[in-house]
Amino acid sequence: MTHMSSSAYKCEDVKQLSQLFKLLAEPSRLKILCGLGLECRPVSDIVAQTGLSQTNVSFHLRVLREAGLVRPERCGSFIYYCLPDAALLDLLEDWKAWVGRQAEVDG
């Protein structure tokens, strides 16, 4: 992993990251992303896994799709959702691990 100095970030980069983190600040969206993994799943599976209502899941999937964080795939009359890139799953796992380490340090 390379580290950039803070002066290397352009204002546009910071704005894009800020928008992404605002989108990810919604716990239901993170629940959906972490639950997807690399497998494509229909909305009904996501509803069952997250415990969220179908309306809620559909709303959050639309937001995630528009942000490029999930990819829809049509299979017959069903739409399956999956992560568009394995790197996104790696980032989510890294963040979860980092939060876990911080909890150990603080605890």
Side-chain angles (χ1 to χ4, degrees), residues 19-39:
Q19 289 171 342
L20 175 65
F21 286 128
K22 281 180 190 176
L23 186 134
L24 293 175
E26 166 56 54
S28 296
R29 293 184 192 136
L30 278 176
K31 199 182 233 189
I32 290 168
L33 288 176
C34 291
L36 280 176
L38 295 177
E39 297 178 29

Side-chain angles (χ1 to χ4, degrees), residues 19-68:
Q19 289 171 342
L20 175 65
F21 286 128
K22 281 180 190 176
L23 186 134
L24 293 175
E26 166 56 54
S28 296
R29 293 184 192 136
L30 278 176
K31 199 182 233 189
I32 290 168
L33 288 176
C34 291
L36 280 176
L38 295 177
E39 297 178 29
C40 291
R41 299 174 188 260
V43 173
S44 59
D45 283 4
I46 298 168
V47 167
Q49 182 179 26
T50 62
L52 301 169
S53 70
Q54 182 168 349
T55 301
N56 202 359
V57 167
S58 294
F59 169 77
H60 290 302
L61 284 171
R62 181 181 57 79
V63 172
L64 292 167
R65 186 182 69 239
E66 289 172 356

